[in-house]
Amino acid sequence: MTTMHAVAIAVTFLWLGMVLAISFLEAPLKFRAPDVTVRIGLGIGRLVFDALNRVEIVWAATLVLTVIVGGARAAAVAAAMTSVAVLVAQMVGVRPRLTRRSNRVLAGEDAPRSRAHHLYVGLETVKVLALLTTGVLLLAG
């Protein structure tokens, strides 16, 4: 196993773990904590997801570099590129819509629920599956 291959595997599973922990554990649980209002939860969520997305950009760039330079199999490269494409779609296409709604709620407005949240969760699910596939393919060599 080359260093590039090992880094690709590590980055894939670190990224996967972060997405699972934040999107599917922290995000829904924070609203169950005592005294956490929608405004407080959205404020926390905005900070957490901004930070997550910044880290994801680093993981995505590192993964792209390591699978291409490291000579990963085409299937692993395709799975990795799928996770990167989903991240871009989330950041460019969905997060701005979610941010506009959260801005309204944080300003005290009673904004209706957003369907964009469901799209974001669906894309998170696709990203998780793509990262899991990437990791398994990289481990298989």
Side-chain angles (χ1 to χ4, degrees), residues 3-59:
T3 301
M4 286 287 193
H5 191 81
V7 170
I9 292 168
V11 164
T12 299
F13 286 110
L14 282 169
W15 186 3
L16 175 61
M18 289 181 73
V19 170
L20 288 171
I22 291 173
S23 292
F24 296 103
L25 189 61
E26 181 277 337
L29 286 178
K30 78 172 155 268
F31 289 102
R32 293 184 183 184
D35 300 321
V36 172
T37 64
V38 171
R39 286 182 71 196
I40 291 170
L42 287 176
I44 293 168
R46 176 181 282 184
L47 291 172
V48 169
F49 277 91
D50 283 348
L52 173 64
N53 287 160
R54 283 190 203 107
V55 173
E56 285 185 293
I57 291 167
V58 173
W59 292 146

Side-chain angles (χ1 to χ4, degrees), residues 19-139:
V19 170
L20 288 171
I22 291 173
S23 292
F24 296 103
L25 189 61
E26 181 277 337
L29 286 178
K30 78 172 155 268
F31 289 102
R32 293 184 183 184
D35 300 321
V36 172
T37 64
V38 171
R39 286 182 71 196
I40 291 170
L42 287 176
I44 293 168
R46 176 181 282 184
L47 291 172
V48 169
F49 277 91
D50 283 348
L52 173 64
N53 287 160
R54 283 190 203 107
V55 173
E56 285 185 293
I57 291 167
V58 173
W59 292 146
T62 305
L63 185 58
V64 168
L65 176 70
T66 56
V67 296
I68 292 174
V69 174
R73 292 185 357 221
V77 174
M81 293 306 128
T82 299
S83 62
V84 173
V86 169
L87 174 63
V88 171
Q90 288 175 304
M91 292 182 69
V92 173
V94 184
R95 282 287 310 274
R97 289 171 34 192
L98 292 172
T99 299
R100 282 192 295 276
R101 180 189 178 270
S102 66
N103 284 345
R104 292 171 61 194
V105 172
L106 292 171
E109 192 176 323
D110 187 22
R113 293 191 65 107
S114 171
R115 291 185 186 166
H117 179 261
H118 297 292
L119 178 57
Y120 194 89
V121 171
L123 289 170
E124 283 291 77
T125 302
V126 172
K127 185 167 52 179
V128 162
L129 293 172
L131 287 167
L132 183 60
T133 301
T134 302
V136 167
L137 291 170
L138 289 170
L139 283 171

